[in-house]
Amino acid sequence: LSLGEAKNLPTYPGPNKMRDCYCTVNLDQEEVFRTKIVEKSLCPFYGEDFYCEIPRTFRHLSFYIFDRDVFRRDSIIGKVAIQKEDLQKYHNRDTWFQLQHVDADSEVQGKVHLELRLSEVITDTGVVCHKLATRVLECQGLPIVNGQCDPYATVTLAGPSRQTKVKKKTNNPQFDEVFYFEVTRPSSYNKKSHFDIEDVDEVDKMEIRVDLWNASNLKFGDEFLGELRLPLKFLRQSSSYEAWYFLQPRDNGNKSLKPDDLGSLRLNVVYTEDHVFSSDYYSPLRDVLLKSADVEPVSASAAHILGEVCREKQEAAIPLVRLFLHYGRIVPFISAIANAEVKRTQDPNTIFRGNSLTSKCIDETMKLAGMHYLQVTLKPIIDEICQVHKPCEIDPVKLKDGENLENNRENLRQYVDRIFTVITKSGVSCPTVMCDIFFSLRESAAKRFQGDLDVRYTAVSSFIFLRFFAPAILSPNLFQLTPHHPDPQTSRTLTLISKTIQTLGSLSKSKSANFKESYMATFYDYFNEQKYADAVKNFLDLISSSGRRDHKSIEQPILLKEGFMIKRAQGRKRFGMKNFKKRWFRLTNHEFTYQKSKGDHPLCSIPIENILAVERLEEESFKMKNMFQVIQPERRVLYIQANNCVEAKDWIDILTKVSQCNKKRLTVYHPSAYLNGHWLCCKATADNTPGCTPCTGGLPANIQLDIDGDRETERIYSLFNLYMPKLEKMQEACGSKSVYDGPEEEEYSTFIIDDPKETYKTLKLIIEGVGNLEQEHAQYKRDKFKKTKYGSQEHPIGDKSFQTYIRQQSEISAHSI
C-alpha cells in the first residue's frame, strides 16, 4: 500500500481550524498499520508505504482518517472502505477516494449461523396452524465497539422481538437458542393441502429479521452491530433451512451528508493472491529456471527470457531473486547475467547504470540480504538525525531566520563524516552473498576493460553506494530504518547527506562538477582530500575480495525484531497474580527477552535453544485475540498477545525460524491454555500431559530470508502466462533469425537473442510447462466449484466475491450449483 495524501478535510470548529491527522490501515475493523501524525493541516501528506502478508480472510480493506485529540478519544473524520473483490480494479493505480461518514451501519461486519424450520401443528380441536422455529446458533467476526463486544441477538417476525442472552467479552458468540413464532392463524384442517391459499400468500409476504447488538453501559443505549432479513417464501421448497449469512447494514442506514463533504484520500493498492500447488506440480518449470546460470549463452535461459518479456524488469527480478536465493543459486545466476551485460557495454563509465535485469536483480538481492547490514551501520545515526533536528540547510536561499550558514555546514559535515566512517569501516559485516556478487562484478569489469584501472571499483560502488546506502539514507522508511517518512526538515538533511555520500562513493575525477548547485560544490570541498578516496577503495576491496570472512562478526547478537506486546505472568514466583502486563519484547539470534520499556534491564531472558515450540493460542483460553505461546523446557509456557493479526504472524514466523534447528523441538502442543486444573483443549488434568495437536513445522531455518520457493515459481508462472503473446512473438523472432540473416524486423528488435536455436528450445520448455500448470489450475477450479456450497461457513450467503466466482465458473462450466 502507498498512502499518499488527503485533501480538503473539513475544518476544525475551533478558532485555529487546522487539524492534527493520521491515517490507519484496517483489515475489516482490525488496525494493522498507522501513519505518523501530520500536524496543523487540512491537506496532510503522508507518503508512506506498507507491505504485509494477510494471514486471514477479510471482506474490506479500510482506511480511517483520525484527528488527534489531546484530552479525549481521537475523533474519526471519515473512511475509505474497498471490498476485497474490488481491489483488482485499483491494482497499482494512484486513485483518489472520497472519504465516507463512519456510523454503526458503515461498520457492520461478521456473519451469523441460523437454522429455520417451518412446520404445521394440529391443535386438539383439529385445526392447523403454521409455526416457525428460528435457531440462532452462533456469530463470527462481529465488530468491536469502543474496545469491547458484549453481543446479543433479537429475532422479530411481525410482532414483539425475542432476545438471546448477552455473551460477555467475545465477538464470536455461541448462542444456540431457539425461538418459536406463530406464522398463520388456525384454519380448518384440510387433508388435501398443507396451506390454505390465503395463508400461503400471507407467509410469502412475511420476513424474519435477526438483529445483533452490543450491550453497552453507556447512556446512549446499545450499539447496532448488523442485521439480517429473510423472506419466508424460500421455506416453501424446504421446510427446514440451515446456513451462514453475512450481516448487513440497516435499510435506512448510511443516508448521511453528501460524500464530498469530508475530503478525499490518495492511495495506491497492489494486492496479489497466489493459489499455490504442492512442490511436485512446479518441478518442470522450476528445473528450467534453476538451470539458467548454466545455459550458454545466458540470454537463452528461462530467467533471462522472463526479463525480456515482462513490461517492467522489476516484475521479473522480484520472484527470480527470491527463487534463486531459496535454492542457493543466486550468485552463479547474477554472475552469468552480469557477465553478459558487461560484454555488451561499450563505455566503462556507463557500466551497470541502466535499469537492466542485472541491476534490478542485484538491487533486490541487496534489499533482502542486506536489511540487517543497514540496521547495524545506518540505523543509530539515522535515529539521532530524526530525533535531534539539528539545522543542516546549506542553501543560502532556504536559510531560516536566526540560522547561521557556517554552523549548518559544520552540522552537516559532522553527520556526513560519521556516516561515511561507519560505512567504510563496515566491510567485515557485509553479507557473504553480497560480497560474492561484488567479487564477480569486479572480475567481469576488470577483464572487459583492462585499460581502465578504476572500473573494478566503479562496478561495485555503482551498487553499494549508488543503489544501496544512498537510497537508504534518502528514504529510511522504505528500508525499515524508520517506521514513518521523516518530517520535511529531517528529509532535507537526509537528502543533502545522501547526495554527498553518493558522490564520495562514485570515485569520479572532478567531483565538484557533479553538483548542479553551487552551494553543494562549495560544501564538497571539505571532502576533496585523498584520505576519503583511499577509504572508499579499501572498503570496496574488502567487500569484493573472494573468501573474505570474519568469524567475530558472526558471534555478535543480531537484533531480529522488537516491540511492545502484552504477556501473561509465567508463574515463576510461587505466590503472585498471573495477570497481563505490557512489556517491550526483543528478539536476537541469541535470546528472546522482555523488559518494562525499551532500553531497560531485561526482566526475563529465554535463550533460543530453550524455545521448543511457538504456536498460536486459541481465543477461548483468555477471550483475547492474536495470542501465541512460546513453549520452554519443563512445560513452562509464555502467553503473549500481539497488537494485531499481522504482528502476531510476524512474531510467530521469526521465533519459529530462529528456533527451528533446536534439537529438542516439540512435535505436539496444546492449542489452548491450562486453566482451573485442566487443559481447555483436551480436558487432561495433569499440567505435564504431552500435547494433543501436532506442531506447525517445515519452515526454513534461514532467519533473514523466509521464502516459499513454490510460491515464487507460481508467481513466475503467472507472469509467463500473462505475457504468453510475447513468448510466442519471441518464438517467431527465433525462427526468423535462424533462417534469415539480413536486417532485423522491427517487431523483433526489442528481444536480445544471441543464439536462436538454444532460445527456441528454452521457449518450447517454458510454454509447455506453463500450459500444463494452466490445465492444473483450471481442473482445480472445476473441482472446487463442484464441492463448494453457498451458505457454508467459508462462503456465507451475501458473499459477493463468491457470487462473482460462480458467475465466472458458470460461463465456462456446465455444472449447476
Side-chain angles (χ1 to χ4, degrees), residues 1 3 23-33 58-64 79-83 106-107 109 265 267:
L1 302 170
L3 290 100
C23 179
T24 67
V25 179
N26 296 54
L27 289 175
D28 296 322
Q29 264 199 333
E30 184 181 13
E31 184 183 318
V32 294
F33 178 72
F58 68 101
R59 285 174 73 189
H60 292 92
L61 180 67
S62 302
F63 303 83
Y64 292 79
K79 78 167 185 179
V80 170
I82 308 172
Q83 290 187 329
S106 73
E107 294 294 271
Q109 66 174 56
L265 180 65
L267 301 168

Side-chain angles (χ1 to χ4, degrees), residues 71-85:
F71 302 108
R72 291 173 297 179
R73 186 191 289 270
D74 295 350
S75 57
I76 299 177
I77 296 172
K79 78 167 185 179
V80 170
I82 308 172
Q83 290 187 329
K84 181 184 173 182
E85 51 270 22

Side-chain angles (χ1 to χ4, degrees), residues 710-728:
D710 298 330
R711 182 175 178 176
E712 300 310 326
T713 315
E714 171 64 32
R715 294 264 354 106
I716 292 168
Y717 150 75
S718 302
L719 288 169
F720 275 137
N721 204 22
L722 178 66
Y723 293 111
M724 184 57 76
K726 280 198 175 183
L727 286 173
E728 289 163 352

Side-chain angles (χ1 to χ4, degrees), residues 210-448:
V210 180
D211 294 274
L212 269 295
W213 298 87
N214 178 40
S216 171
N217 299 322
L218 302 171
K219 58 184 177 184
F220 305 112
D222 296 349
E223 289 106 348
F224 173 75
L225 300 179
E227 75 166 20
L228 179 67
R229 291 171 180 262
L230 293 172
L232 292 193
K233 61 183 174 187
F234 75 89
L235 284 171
R236 284 173 62 188
Q237 278 81 32
S238 160
S239 61
S240 174
Y241 197 79
E242 181 191 341
W244 284 85
Y245 302 84
F246 272 135
L247 290 167
Q248 306 295 337
R250 289 170 286 207
D251 283 346
N252 65 341
N254 245 349
K255 290 179 183 171
S256 52
L257 300 174
K258 290 185 294 182
D260 56 354
D261 286 347
L262 299 176
S264 50
L265 180 65
R266 180 167 62 83
L267 301 168
N268 189 322
V269 180
V270 176
Y271 175 71
T272 54
E273 197 172 279
D274 298 315
H275 299 270
V276 185
F277 290 121
S278 57
S279 205
D280 49 314
Y281 283 80
Y282 297 105
S283 293
L285 184 60
R286 186 176 54 234
D287 292 348
V288 175
L289 287 160
L290 291 176
K291 284 175 186 163
S292 294
D294 307 320
V295 173
E296 281 289 338
V298 75
S299 60
S301 68
H304 194 278
I305 288 169
L306 182 65
E308 287 296 290
V309 296
C310 282
R311 195 162 54 95
E312 303 283 343
K313 294 284 189 267
Q314 183 81 355
E315 262 185 311
I318 292 171
L320 283 175
V321 164
R322 295 173 75 86
L323 180 73
F324 284 113
L325 272 167
H326 182 72
Y327 288 100
R329 300 282 296 151
I330 193 69
V331 177
F333 167 63
I334 286 182
S335 299
I337 58 172
N339 197 31
E341 185 175 327
V342 169
K343 283 178 182 170
R344 287 194 294 270
T345 306
Q346 301 304 316
D347 181 357
N349 294 317
T350 62
I351 197 164
F352 301 127
R353 289 297 163 98
N355 283 328
S356 61
L357 183 65
T358 310
S359 303
K360 292 296 181 187
C361 284
I362 297 174
D363 287 354
E364 196 57 31
T365 307
M366 292 192 299
K367 224 173 193 177
L368 286 167
M371 209 52 87
H372 171 253
Y373 180 36
L374 285 175
Q375 297 276 331
V376 294
T377 48
L378 295 182
K379 189 168 172 40
I381 302 176
I382 299 266
D383 283 346
E384 185 187 320
I385 293 167
C386 292
Q387 287 158 14
V388 178
H389 288 103
K390 276 187 188 176
C392 294
E393 183 54 73
I394 56 170
D395 182 355
V397 179
K398 293 183 180 175
L399 273 188
K400 290 180 185 171
D401 291 343
E403 284 186 358
N404 181 290
L405 188 61
E406 280 309 311
N407 287 350
N408 287 10
R409 274 192 191 139
E410 182 55 26
N411 290 341
L412 185 62
R413 190 193 65 74
Q414 284 180 10
Y415 278 145
V416 170
D417 236 341
R418 284 174 60 193
I419 286 180
F420 178 79
T421 306
V422 163
I423 290 171
T424 51
K425 291 200 170 163
S426 69
V428 291
S429 306
C430 186
T432 308
V433 69
M434 285 168 63
C435 294
D436 291 344
I437 289 168
F438 294 150
F439 173 69
S440 168
L441 299 182
R442 175 190 175 120
E443 293 299 295
S444 292
K447 192 174 172 184
R448 171 79 174 85

Side-chain angles (χ1 to χ4, degrees), residues 192-207:
K192 288 179 187 173
S193 76
H194 290 290
F195 290 103
D196 183 69
I197 301 297
E198 288 174 16
D199 290 339
V200 170
D201 287 345
E202 202 176 315
V203 170
D204 277 0
K205 289 173 191 169
M206 297 177 86
E207 66 175 11

Side-chain angles (χ1 to χ4, degrees), residues 84-140:
K84 181 184 173 182
E85 51 270 22
D86 291 337
L87 285 170
Q88 283 304 322
K89 281 189 209 170
Y90 309 108
H91 183 80
N92 207 9
R93 274 202 348 249
D94 261 20
T95 311
W96 283 98
F97 293 89
Q98 292 288 343
L99 289 172
Q100 306 294 327
H101 283 273
V102 176
D103 55 28
D105 286 284
S106 73
E107 294 294 271
V108 169
Q109 66 174 56
K111 52 194 174 186
V112 60
H113 189 190
L114 292 182
E115 185 183 348
L116 302 175
R117 190 179 294 275
L118 190 63
S119 52
E120 289 184 345
V121 180
I122 304 172
T123 63
D124 295 340
T125 56
V127 293
V128 177
C129 65
H130 300 109
K131 292 206 170 178
L132 175 71
T134 304
R135 186 179 176 201
V136 184
L137 288 118
E138 60 182 308
C139 293
Q140 280 191 353

